[in-house]
Amino acid sequence: MTPELMIKACSFYTGHLVKSHFCTWRDVARTNENVALAEKMNRAVTCYNFRLQKSVFHHWHSYMEDQKEKLKNTLLRIQQIIYCHKLSIILTKWRNRARLKSKKKEDELILKHELQFKKWKNRLILKRAAAEESNFPEQSSSEGSLVDETLKCDISLLPERAILQIFIYLSLKDVIICGQVNHAWMLMTQLNSLWNAIDFSTVKNVIPDKYILSTLQRWRLNMLRLNFRGCLLRPKTFRSVSHCRNLQELNVSDCPTFTDESMRHISEGCPGVLYLNLSNTTITNRTMRLLPRHFHNLQNLSLAYCRRFTDKGLQYLNLGNGCHKLIYLDLSGCTQISVQGFRYIANSCTGITHLTINDMPTLTDNCVKALVEKCSRITSLVFTGAPHISDCTFKALSTCKLRKIRFEGNKRVTDASFKYIDKNYPNLSHIYMADCKGITDSSLRSLSPLRQLTVLNLANCVRIGDMGLKQFLDGPASIRIRELNLSNCVQLSDASVMKLSERCPNLNYLSLRNCDHLTAQGIGYIVNIFSLVSIDLSGTDISNEGLNVLSRHKKLKELSVSECYRITDVGIQITDSAMEMLSAKCHYLHILDISGCVLLTDEILEDLQIGCKQLRILKMQYCTNISKKAAQRMSSKVQQQEYNSNDPPRWFGYDREGNPLTELDNVTPSKGASELTVEKSTYSSEEQAA
């Protein structure tokens, strides 16, 4: 072997050895790199999962903290509600006990005086009888004993509250006469609480100015309220009012002698007036200039039907301290006010919450827009007799928080006004939309979400039907509804009454006047409205059978069935028929209207006296078969009675015998028809509800 071959062999062997070792090392190196990469991937996955869990845990922790906070707040609110409820129960029980204790004390005292009076009366009778029998001349001693007994039973010993309740029902003239009986009676008639409010409007034709002047001079520091409505007084009397420094309420409406000069004297002497009624007087811009200068705390102002002031007078309201505290404003009938005048009002009286504008045919949407630009606190709004008001007014009023709204006789207000009413006016509680022909079922559907609604008047809205009322009652508004007037909604039927009985647990007053489609079945549903107090079914098809069903209602106090010619004596005798049940079961009936029931006779009055002993108001207009003599006897049993025996008006649709009219022109009023109206006191269902 040569050296060259040996070198080649060594080189080849060495190269082969290096190649084999390098491949082995490369395979080992690749294996280690894959392992390291796999470890890195595992660590990366582990890290990602940890971060993901951390993020999820963080969100979960935040959610749980929020839930704990909400639960804590809920528990606190529940505790506060329970605490307030307990306080309310405690206060109610305490108030009831206090009232019972006070009433018991007063009753005991009154009973004591009554017993003393009876004892004194019996003694007096015995003494008179003994004196007549014996005929002894002991007149002087008997008179002395009578004086002693009289002093023991003097009503001046009663509590001041009882004395006030006695004299408060007397007229001003009677109080003055009572003060002239003796010294004790004079002291009783001089109670401050009796003279802090005087209503001269009830005695304007009885007491002359001199008595009014003497009264004002004597009680000028105690006078808080004065009412001169409709009084025809001299300027001297109005000047005497300026001495009443503490006067807060003044009513001079309908006083033809009240002028700017009278207002000047009053404004200078009575700076604390809060309520001022100047309606239907002859005031001018001079009076408007005085209001902001002297009445800095004026809150209620009525300028209704005062047509002698102009827009410039309204501009004066911003002078001095201005009328910035004004809350209530009445501008009814002030047709001379323009858009600029309403701008002046908005600049001066930004705090107005109650606005009344009736009988204003010149009122337009621009007037309302100018007013609400700065008067955004309006909560109560009355627009009757404003035919030019349209849906634009509702849009402008969206900035106000309305609670009461009243429109009547308007044809331009449509369903568009009610489209967003639940969003813009969620706190509406009173809605009066009588005689608005543009309102349909769609409007009722828009009113259904109102949770605070208690009074709804849709009289003469003839386009409303059963479907719209059903959609309204299906909403939350039906739960709190208290008064509902659906007079002349001629499309309503028994289905609506059935829905009312199901969805209105708090309904007190319901009017279904002239709803022709109402049948005896619908009357049966009315009985299921247990909270009902007053119902008007005049002009409906109700008959004796319907009255029989209606008599099952035990809480009914006011019933009107005028123009119901199908009701006869059979329905009101004390027999087994309808009005027997009505008079026998409806013991709490206070008001009954049977006007236009031409088939009723005198027998019904005797039956009513037996069954309805709490009857206070009875209306019997156009009752042709009820005699004047029977009505006069009945007038002594009720507080107020309206009666005449004239023929029914032609628009009733039937004659004096209950027969339907075929030709209205042939019906003529009977001659010699008697008419009687007896009124002892004023009483209405609205006052009772208030």
Side-chain angles (χ1 to χ4, degrees):
M1 178 177 292
T2 62
E4 290 83 3
L5 292 173
M6 190 66 179
I7 293 171
K8 289 182 180 181
C10 290
S11 299
F12 177 78
Y13 176 76
T14 302
H16 178 72
L17 187 62
V18 170
K19 184 178 181 181
S20 61
H21 283 285
F22 178 77
C23 292
T24 304
W25 171 81
R26 186 181 59 185
D27 295 337
V28 172
R30 286 181 177 177
T31 302
N32 293 336
E33 185 178 358
N34 293 334
V35 172
L37 184 60
E39 292 179 355
K40 289 182 179 181
M41 288 297 296
N42 291 334
R43 288 197 299 269
V45 171
T46 303
C47 181
Y48 174 77
N49 292 333
F50 177 76
R51 293 180 62 183
L52 185 61
Q53 291 176 358
K54 184 177 180 181
S55 177
V56 173
F57 177 78
H58 177 72
H59 289 294
W60 175 83
H61 184 265
S62 300
Y63 172 77
M64 293 303 298
E65 290 293 329
D66 293 339
Q67 292 297 320
K68 288 182 179 179
E69 189 68 23
K70 291 181 180 179
L71 183 60
K72 183 179 179 181
N73 294 333
T74 303
L75 291 175
L76 289 176
R77 285 198 297 270
I78 293 174
Q79 290 176 357
Q80 292 177 355
I81 293 173
I82 294 174
Y83 180 71
C84 293
H85 183 65
K86 288 182 178 179
L87 286 180
S88 177
I89 294 175
I90 293 172
L91 289 174
T92 302
K93 290 183 178 179
W94 172 81
R95 182 181 62 187
N96 294 335
R97 289 183 180 178
R99 286 180 177 177
L100 290 174
K101 187 175 180 181
S102 177
K103 188 176 183 300
K104 184 179 179 181
K105 186 176 180 181
E106 291 184 1
D107 292 341
E108 290 177 353
L109 187 58
I110 293 175
L111 180 61
K112 180 180 177 182
H113 284 279
E114 288 180 353
L115 293 175
Q116 290 179 353
F117 180 74
K118 289 182 179 179
K119 185 177 180 182
W120 169 79
K121 188 175 180 180
N122 293 331
R123 288 182 181 178
L124 181 60
I125 294 173
L126 292 175
K127 287 184 179 180
R128 286 182 178 177
E132 291 177 357
E133 292 177 358
S134 60
N135 292 324
F136 287 134
E138 298 179 353
Q139 184 177 359
S140 60
S141 61
S142 63
E143 289 179 354
S145 62
L146 289 178
V147 172
D148 295 338
E149 294 293 341
T150 304
L151 292 176
K152 290 181 181 179
C153 298
D154 193 356
I155 64 172
S156 62
L157 301 177
L158 292 173
E160 180 177 334
R161 182 181 176 184
I163 296 174
L164 180 62
Q165 289 297 322
I166 294 174
F167 285 97
I168 201 171
Y169 292 103
L170 300 179
S171 64
L172 181 59
K173 181 180 180 180
D174 294 335
V175 173
I176 295 175
I177 294 174
C178 291
Q180 299 174 357
V181 175
N182 53 38
H183 182 70
W185 282 59
M186 183 185 70
L187 294 178
M188 287 188 294
T189 59
Q190 292 180 354
L191 294 173
N192 294 339
S193 54
L194 183 63
W195 291 94
N196 64 356
I198 301 181
D199 188 356
F200 289 106
S201 63
T202 60
V203 293
K204 58 188 177 183
N205 297 324
V206 179
I207 296 184
D209 288 353
K210 62 179 182 179
Y211 288 103
I212 298 178
L213 289 172
S214 62
T215 303
L216 293 175
Q217 291 174 359
R218 177 180 296 181
W219 303 105
R220 59 180 180 268
L221 296 180
N222 296 326
M223 292 294 183
L224 297 178
R225 297 182 294 274
L226 281 176
N227 186 358
F228 290 111
R229 180 180 181 181
C231 294
L232 187 63
L233 303 177
R234 295 177 298 174
K236 183 179 180 181
T237 305
F238 289 117
R239 286 199 297 269
S240 63
V241 179
S242 61
H243 299 292
C244 304
R245 306 291 299 180
N246 297 325
L247 190 65
Q248 295 181 1
E249 298 184 11
L250 177 62
N251 187 347
V252 292
S253 60
D254 301 315
C255 292
T257 57
F258 188 82
T259 61
D260 294 331
E261 189 66 19
S262 305
M263 192 70 239
R264 184 180 65 83
H265 293 292
I266 296 175
S267 61
E268 292 176 354
C270 307
V273 172
L274 302 177
Y275 170 89
L276 182 60
N277 191 338
L278 302 174
S279 59
N280 202 15
T281 56
T282 58
I283 62 167
T284 64
N285 291 342
R286 292 177 56 192
T287 294
M288 304 299 292
R289 186 189 291 269
L290 295 172
L291 296 180
R293 290 184 176 180
H294 298 279
F295 300 136
H296 301 154
N297 297 319
L298 188 63
Q299 296 180 1
N300 294 265
L301 176 62
S302 178
L303 300 173
Y305 307 100
C306 296
R307 295 188 173 94
R308 295 197 176 185
F309 70 89
T310 62
D311 291 342
K312 188 176 181 180
L314 297 174
Q315 188 179 9
Y316 293 151
L317 295 178
N318 205 19
L319 296 177
N321 293 326
C323 296
H324 302 304
K325 295 184 179 180
L326 201 63
I327 298 176
Y328 174 86
L329 180 62
D330 190 350
L331 297 174
S332 301
C334 298
T335 55
Q336 75 277 13
I337 302 177
S338 64
V339 178
Q340 186 61 37
F342 283 98
R343 289 197 182 95
Y344 291 147
I345 296 174
N347 294 330
S348 308
C349 312
T350 57
I352 294 177
T353 57
H354 305 281
L355 181 64
T356 301
I357 307 179
N358 297 328
D359 299 330
M360 195 81 160
T362 58
L363 188 68
T364 62
D365 296 332
N366 292 331
C367 296
V368 180
K369 290 178 182 178
L371 184 64
V372 300
E373 284 180 358
K374 295 184 179 179
C375 298
S376 58
R377 300 181 183 179
I378 297 177
T379 58
S380 177
L381 193 62
V382 180
F383 286 155
T384 62
H388 298 293
I389 294 296
S390 66
D391 298 333
C392 297
T393 294
F394 273 86
K395 185 177 181 181
L397 291 170
S398 60
T399 58
C400 304
K401 298 180 180 179
L402 291 181
R403 295 183 180 178
K404 298 181 181 180
I405 189 167
R406 182 168 185 170
F407 282 79
E408 289 186 11
N410 192 295
K411 297 181 180 179
R412 301 186 64 187
V413 175
T414 64
D415 295 335
S417 299
F418 298 86
K419 188 174 182 180
Y420 304 103
I421 197 169
D422 58 325
K423 298 179 180 178
N424 295 330
Y425 317 111
N427 297 321
L428 268 178
S429 60
H430 292 63
I431 298 179
Y432 300 86
M433 288 293 176
D435 199 18
C436 293
K437 310 298 184 183
I439 297 178
T440 65
D441 292 343
S442 179
S443 297
L444 282 176
R445 184 170 60 251
S446 302
L447 294 177
S448 61
L450 298 178
R451 298 180 178 274
Q452 305 297 327
L453 190 62
T454 57
V455 178
L456 179 61
N457 188 336
L458 297 175
N460 297 326
C461 296
V462 294
R463 300 177 65 184
I464 291 177
D466 292 334
M467 183 56 65
L469 189 62
K470 178 183 180 301
Q471 293 173 346
F472 168 76
L473 295 176
D474 285 337
S478 61
I479 303 300
R480 299 190 61 179
I481 196 74
R482 183 169 54 89
E483 298 182 20
L484 184 60
N485 191 338
L486 300 173
S487 301
N488 295 317
C489 295
V490 293
Q491 298 185 24
L492 298 180
S493 64
D494 296 340
S496 297
V497 183
M498 181 183 66
K499 198 67 178 180
L500 285 171
S501 64
E502 296 174 355
R503 297 288 299 171
C504 299
N506 298 314
L507 187 62
N508 299 138
Y509 300 91
L510 175 63
S511 178
L512 297 172
R513 178 183 288 264
N514 296 329
C515 292
D516 302 334
H517 293 47
L518 190 64
T519 65
Q521 185 179 4
I523 302 298
Y525 294 133
I526 293 177
V527 178
N528 297 329
I529 309 177
F530 302 110
S531 59
L532 201 62
V533 175
S534 172
I535 179 69
D536 187 352
L537 298 173
S538 302
T540 61
D541 201 31
I542 185 174
S543 60
N544 296 334
E545 291 76 11
L547 286 179
N548 190 7
V549 175
L550 197 62
S551 65
R552 302 172 189 170
H553 202 294
K554 300 297 182 63
K555 295 184 179 180
L556 201 61
K557 294 184 179 180
E558 180 178 352
L559 174 63
S560 179
V561 288
S562 63
E563 307 173 37
C564 298
Y565 65 93
R566 295 185 61 187
I567 298 178
T568 64
D569 282 345
V570 179
I572 203 165
Q573 295 173 350
I574 304 303
T575 61
D576 294 334
S577 55
M579 283 299 282
E580 174 196 2
M581 303 297 295
L582 185 67
S583 59
K585 293 186 177 181
C586 298
H587 301 297
Y588 300 101
L589 196 64
H590 292 174
I591 302 175
L592 180 61
D593 187 353
I594 53 175
S595 300
C597 298
V598 294
L599 300 181
L600 300 180
T601 64
D602 296 347
E603 297 180 6
I604 67 165
L605 302 183
E606 299 177 1
D607 300 334
L608 288 176
Q609 293 181 29
I610 298 175
C612 303
K613 296 183 181 297
Q614 295 193 16
L615 193 63
R616 301 179 184 178
I617 298 179
L618 178 60
K619 298 181 180 180
M620 301 181 293
Q621 302 284 350
Y622 313 113
C623 293
T624 56
N625 290 324
I626 296 178
S627 65
K628 181 179 179 180
K629 185 177 180 180
Q632 288 177 336
R633 290 196 302 266
M634 190 65 186
S635 64
S636 61
K637 307 296 182 181
V638 295
Q639 295 180 359
Q640 179 179 337
Q641 177 174 302
E642 297 178 4
Y643 163 77
N644 68 56
S645 58
N646 298 337
D647 287 347
R650 298 176 180 179
W651 50 269
F652 273 28
Y654 54 88
D655 59 13
R656 60 183 295 112
E657 297 180 356
N659 300 320
L661 295 179
T662 56
E663 295 182 2
L664 296 180
D665 296 336
N666 294 333
V667 181
T668 57
S670 63
K671 297 182 180 180
S674 59
E675 182 173 347
L676 173 65
T677 301
V678 180
E679 184 173 343
K680 294 186 177 180
S681 65
T682 57
Y683 181 89
S684 66
S685 60
E686 295 179 357
E687 293 176 354
Q688 180 184 6

